[in-house]
Amino acid sequence: MKIRTIALSAAVVLALGTGTAAAGPTWSPRPQEVKPFLPEGAANPAIADGVALGKQVATYTASGLGPAAGNPAAPADSPERYVDLPGAALPPGVTLTEAQALNVLKRVKANLAAAGLGLADVVSMRAYLEKPPGAESADFAGWNRAYRQFFANTDLATGRPVPVPLGTAAPAPPMEVNPARPARVTIEIANLPVAGWLVEVEVVAAYRH
């Protein structure tokens, strides 16, 4: 009986050991690889499930950026102050959050360019939204429309640009053709650091060379 108990215990240990080994990592990125993990079966997903970076990939982290004041005729500290569209007028269906997000993403592009990077190099993003005055919640739909103007606007199978809407207008070519689909989180918060801001964005970008 004692011998059988020992043999049984050994078999259990071997079985557990085999299971533990099988559960370990089976893949890791090459030292200079940047690999997004995209949802299966989607031709044009908005974001990645995650992005893996090899150990030799250098990254750049941009500070959070909000919109630049683009409408001096609007009252100070108002959301309208941070709309920089031509004539400071909102096109049909374009929300204040959407307009500010377009403003912010142009600033993100400039920030990256100063570091020798582009929008296509962005691997992760955090967006912070404040609800517009009088609204019950943040305008996630407006933010997502603006985001698609600068990110995730190509078909994965063909590589061709996918038309995107601006407000309620019919879909049209994006402002910036960009296949990048970063890992992303969007959060509604009570107060952004500058009165009138509805959007703040921070990104991490990877040097791929």
Side-chain angles (χ1 to χ4, degrees), residues 69 199-200:
V199 184
E200 184 175 6

Side-chain angles (χ1 to χ4, degrees), residues 39 66 104 129 140 205:
V104 172
L129 307 182
F140 291 93

Side-chain angles (χ1 to χ4, degrees), residues 43-139:
N44 187 28
I47 62 175
D49 292 335
V51 181
L53 302 177
K55 61 184 179 181
Q56 293 181 10
V57 176
T59 60
Y60 170 77
T61 302
S63 294
L65 289 170
N71 180 14
D77 300 338
S78 69
E80 290 80 4
R81 185 88 167 189
Y82 297 96
V83 172
D84 67 344
L85 296 172
L90 295 177
V94 173
T95 64
L96 283 169
T97 295
E98 184 176 359
Q100 285 201 12
L102 296 173
N103 184 331
V104 172
L105 292 171
K106 286 186 284 187
R107 295 193 70 202
V108 168
K109 178 183 176 181
N111 182 294
L112 292 169
L117 294 159
L119 294 172
D121 299 310
V122 174
V123 294
S124 69
M125 174 184 293
R126 295 176 70 89
Y128 305 92
L129 307 182
E130 183 177 328
K131 66 181 181 180
E136 294 184 358
S137 62
D139 180 12

Side-chain angles (χ1 to χ4, degrees), residues 4 36 54 122 158 169:
R4 288 180 181 175
V122 174
T158 66

